[in-house]
């Protein structure tokens, strides 16, 4: 994980991937990625600018898919790259007649000053247009609908003595895991305001968007269903007291368990059971817009050395 002053470094690095798990970046991929990266504004002064911005970003991208995790490793990858590779990435020839890869200081200054939102948008558009375009396509027939999770996380390594962690809001596909969009939310309380700008550029028709209780806001849900033509799964908690009371009061004891799953990981064993119940408007409905189905998830969790806990959502 890069601990730079700017979250632009985080945009270049893949989130859930580890070295060796990232897909290769072929020559035709760099051409498509180049077209998207050209939309990123260059924060540098025109005077003394030697390396083109797109060339520098392509060096970072190729280094990352080769396993680089820090700016130092990205720099070393560029220094080891052949003249042919560096030339194809757009690095200009130096006066002595040799092509020289950018230094550690050059990459650090660039990534610290880069517009992180613009870089996120460019990379997200590139990923959405790759071979897995069916991830954001329309759900048809009996096939599972494509699902996109919206969640916010603090950026590891971004905190400083006078600065809190940078907080990012991301839209990530469930399978395969692809970050389609990402924006800085500022603080966790600002995530709700960042939802629309995050999802506005995406084609969500026919997909299922999942989010936690923080985003379970009626206006946001109406916008998703009526304008973006998407389905949703919202977590209902105390911030929607009327809907929460209505869902809890449903006759769940009369509903059979629809699905169960269990697994072990992260030092604990967890099992889940799911019940579903129709709550369409013609069946009485609840005080939540466009609601058609209620789901109750019951979790049982047993951590090593601790008592079993239970939770119903």
């Amino acid at each position: 994980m890069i601990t730079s002053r700017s979250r632009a470094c985080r945009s270049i690095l893949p989130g859930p991937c580890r070295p060796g798990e990232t897909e290769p970046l072929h020559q035709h991929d760099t051409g498509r990625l180049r077209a998207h990266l050209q939309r990123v504004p260059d924060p540098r002064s025109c005077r003394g600018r030697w390396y083109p911005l797109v060339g520098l970003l392509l060096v970072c991208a190729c280094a990352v898919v080769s396993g680089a995790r820090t700016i130092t490793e990205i720099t070393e990858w560029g220094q080891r790259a052949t003249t042919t590779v560096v030339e194809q990435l757009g690095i200009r020839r130096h006066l002595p007649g040799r092509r020289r890869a950018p230094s550690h200081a050059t990459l650090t200054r660039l990534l610290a000053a880069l517009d992180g939102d613009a870089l996120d948008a460019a990379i997200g558009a590139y990923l959405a247009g790759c071979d897995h375009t069916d991830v954001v396509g329309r759900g048809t027939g009996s096939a599972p609908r494509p699902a996109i999770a919206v969640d916010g996380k603090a950026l590891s390594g971004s905190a400083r003595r006078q600065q809190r962690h940078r907080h990012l809001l991301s839209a990530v596909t469930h399978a395969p895991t692809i970050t389609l969009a990402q924006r800085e939310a500022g603080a966790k309380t600002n995530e709700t305001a960042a939802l629309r700008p995050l999802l506005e550029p995406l084609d969500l028709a026919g997909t299922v968007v999942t989010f936690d209780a923080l985003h379970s806001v009626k206006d946001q849900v109406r916008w998703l269903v009526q304008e973006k033509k998407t389905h949703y799964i919202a977590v209902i908690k105390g911030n929607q007291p009327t809907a929460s009371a209505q869902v809890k009061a449903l006759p769940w004891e009369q509903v059979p368990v629809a699905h169960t799953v269990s697994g072990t990981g992260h030092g604990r064993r967890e099992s889940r059971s799911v019940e579903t119940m129709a709550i369409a408007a013609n069946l009485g409905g609840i005080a939540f817009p466009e609601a058609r189905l209620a789901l109750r998830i019951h979790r049982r969790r047993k951590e090593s050395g601790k008592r079993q806990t239970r939770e119903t959502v």
Side-chain angles (χ1 to χ4, degrees):
M1 183 66 67
I2 289 180
T3 58
S4 168
R5 292 169 295 171
S6 170
R7 71 182 183 87
C9 303
R10 176 63 179 82
S11 303
I12 285 291
L13 293 181
C17 299
R18 296 186 293 271
E21 292 184 344
T22 318
E23 294 183 359
L25 195 63
H26 300 290
Q27 185 173 356
H28 71 279
D29 294 319
T30 59
R32 291 191 299 105
L33 180 57
R34 184 189 304 274
H36 290 287
L37 292 178
Q38 289 175 347
R39 307 172 188 171
V40 180
D42 196 333
R44 302 171 296 170
S45 171
C46 294
R47 183 178 180 181
R49 185 188 303 177
W50 181 262
Y51 296 105
L53 175 64
V54 174
L56 293 175
L57 295 179
L58 284 175
V59 167
C60 294
C62 291
V64 165
V65 298
S66 299
R69 315 306 291 175
T70 65
I71 296 181
T72 300
E73 293 175 353
I74 292 175
T75 305
E76 293 174 351
W77 182 93
Q79 293 172 348
R80 294 194 303 266
T82 65
T83 302
T84 302
V85 171
V86 175
E87 180 179 356
Q88 291 178 348
L89 295 180
I91 300 301
R92 296 174 54 190
R93 187 181 300 275
H94 277 64
L95 293 178
R98 300 178 56 189
R99 296 185 187 274
R100 188 168 59 190
S103 65
H104 183 278
T106 298
L107 293 176
T108 300
R109 288 194 300 266
L110 172 67
L111 295 177
L114 207 62
D115 185 339
D117 287 334
L119 182 59
D120 281 333
I123 295 179
Y126 163 75
L127 292 174
C130 289
D131 294 336
H132 34 251
T133 50
D134 59 310
V135 171
V136 290
R138 297 176 181 270
T140 57
S142 59
R145 294 184 181 275
I148 300 173
V150 175
D151 196 13
K153 295 295 181 183
L155 176 55
S156 176
S158 62
R160 295 294 183 269
R161 182 173 299 178
Q162 303 297 331
Q163 176 182 316
R164 300 176 61 184
H165 282 91
R166 290 178 177 270
H167 201 81
L168 304 182
L169 184 66
S170 303
V172 183
T173 59
H174 285 215
T177 304
I178 304 166
T179 302
L180 299 178
Q182 185 173 261
R183 291 182 64 90
E184 185 168 3
K188 196 169 183 64
T189 54
N190 294 331
E191 275 191 28
T192 303
L195 179 67
R196 289 198 188 188
L198 176 76
L199 299 180
E200 182 69 45
L202 301 180
D203 180 11
L204 302 177
T207 63
V208 179
V209 177
T210 65
F211 43 85
D212 56 23
L214 186 63
H215 299 289
S216 298
V217 180
K218 293 181 180 180
D219 289 341
Q220 303 276 41
V221 170
R222 290 191 186 96
W223 175 77
L224 284 172
V225 176
Q226 297 174 6
E227 296 190 27
K228 300 300 290 184
K229 308 302 180 183
T230 183
H231 304 269
Y232 70 87
I233 297 180
V235 178
I236 303 299
K237 289 186 177 180
N239 61 333
Q240 296 291 337
T242 303
S244 178
Q246 290 176 328
V247 172
K248 289 179 180 179
L250 294 174
W252 292 108
E253 64 280 356
Q254 304 175 16
V255 179
V257 174
H259 180 69
T260 59
V261 64
S262 61
T264 303
H266 304 285
R268 64 176 181 265
R269 179 173 180 79
E270 185 171 330
S271 62
R272 302 185 185 94
S273 61
V274 182
E275 300 165 287
T276 63
M277 182 182 302
I279 53 171
N282 60 338
L283 298 175
I286 65 169
F288 205 74
E290 309 290 348
R292 297 292 182 269
L293 192 69
L295 299 88
R296 185 171 77 163
I297 304 174
H298 189 65
R299 301 190 185 104
R300 296 178 178 86
R301 179 179 298 176
K302 177 67 170 66
E303 297 188 25
S304 300
K306 297 183 179 180
R307 299 179 59 182
Q308 177 177 280
T309 59
R310 298 185 179 187
E311 180 186 25
T312 300
V313 180

